[in-house]
Amino acid sequence: IIGKRAALEMFPGAVVNLGVGAPELVSDVVMREGVSEQIHFTIEHGPIGGIPAYGLNFGAALNPDVIMEVPALLDFYNGGGLDIACLGLLEADRWGNVNASKFSESRTAGGFIDISQNAQNIIFCTTFTQGAEINIESGKVKVVKDGSPKFVSAVAQITFNGKNAAAKGQPVLFVTERAVFKLGKDGLILVEIAPGIDLEQDVLQKMGFRPIISPDLREMPLVIFSDSGTIGLKRAFDAK
């Protein structure tokens, strides 16, 4: 679901970075849609072009156009070369601040500051809660067992500053399996909800804060919950 919804934000010719975790599946969706030659994927390990691998093979790519040295690729990111950055996260707060680096008091990991600061668009791809179990039945999402909140009152460490992003007008989207948020000047705005999901019980009560609810709140595109196959990305690309 997350990969399909994020893939709907792609456009022909886009230069896209994929982070580890849920964002990895965007390349799989794009490949299955038959538009992989129209998207230029990059991975911070060096590959540009081709189809990025995922899972335990993350960091490699099938048939890349070029493999660059990492410092040179980071210069490209810092220079604003990315049209879209699809990134994961550990937790986010009401202002769109993201923690993607601090796991606990004693465990930290390298962040994605170079990738995120100057990307033209950012899509954070994440499960809504940690460890949840969901089913899709007749095109509707059902929460079988919920997990611990990822949208919290305050993040443990700010790896991405939402207020700064909003102030400079950087478009930021948070895509989950049950809701989609966009970043506004006053914080996170709930703009889409999955079919079958109860707004109060499955979304608002599972957050550490109450987001702004868009007056135009709508359902996430039904096509991403269907088993019919394509989500229509090739048709959309051809129309452009």
Side-chain angles (χ1 to χ4, degrees):
I1 298 172
I2 298 168
K4 287 180 178 180
R5 178 60 187 85
L8 290 177
E9 299 297 316
M10 303 294 112
F11 56 86
V15 179
V16 182
N17 172 269
L18 297 181
V20 68
E24 300 173 22
L25 296 178
V26 175
S27 64
D28 186 64
V29 174
V30 166
M31 179 180 66
R32 293 174 185 275
E33 291 291 305
V35 295
S36 56
E37 292 185 357
Q38 299 185 59
I39 299 290
H40 309 292
F41 285 116
T42 78
I43 303 295
E44 59 268 27
H45 301 71
I48 297 179
I51 302 297
Y54 49 88
L56 295 177
N57 294 316
F58 181 75
L62 178 66
N63 295 330
D65 298 316
V66 64
I67 298 178
M68 297 179 64
E69 293 183 349
V70 173
L73 190 53
L74 292 179
D75 285 343
F76 175 71
Y77 293 158
N78 280 312
L82 285 173
D83 293 307
I84 303 173
C86 295
L87 302 169
L89 58 79
L90 294 170
E91 55 184 5
D93 66 19
R94 70 171 66 243
W95 300 109
N97 295 322
V98 167
N99 172 20
S101 51
K102 189 169 186 179
F103 292 83
S104 67
E105 289 301 322
S106 59
R107 183 183 178 195
T108 60
F112 49 25
I113 295 173
D114 293 286
I115 300 170
S116 63
Q117 293 308 294
N118 293 315
Q120 303 304 310
N121 299 272
I122 296 182
I123 306 173
F124 288 110
C125 302
T126 178
T127 54
F128 185 74
T129 60
Q130 179 64 42
E133 181 182 336
I134 68 164
N135 284 338
I136 302 176
E137 301 174 357
S138 302
K140 295 186 177 182
V141 177
K142 178 181 179 181
V143 180
V144 178
K145 182 184 73 173
D146 224 323
S148 56
K150 281 192 168 185
F151 290 87
V152 298
S153 57
V155 296
Q157 186 175 76
I158 297 177
T159 324
F160 175 82
N161 192 306
K163 287 186 177 182
N164 285 352
K168 67 181 182 181
Q170 186 178 32
V172 181
L173 206 62
F174 292 76
V175 174
T176 79
E177 81 285 354
R178 67 182 84 170
V180 176
F181 305 85
K182 72 175 182 179
L183 180 61
K185 61 182 179 63
D186 295 319
L188 290 193
I189 305 170
L190 176 63
V191 294
E192 295 179 16
I193 187 170
I197 288 295
D198 182 274
L199 174 60
E200 188 66 37
Q201 178 180 322
D202 297 327
V203 177
L204 300 180
Q205 289 185 15
K206 306 301 180 181
M207 302 178 71
F209 60 91
R210 195 171 185 90
I212 301 166
I213 300 177
S214 170
D216 300 318
L217 178 64
R218 60 185 184 273
E219 282 193 336
M220 295 170 67
L222 299 180
V223 68
I224 66 178
F225 303 95
S226 171
D227 292 329
S228 60
T230 179
I231 58 173
L233 208 55
K234 190 175 191 308
R235 184 170 61 252
F237 274 34
D238 290 345
K240 294 178 181 179

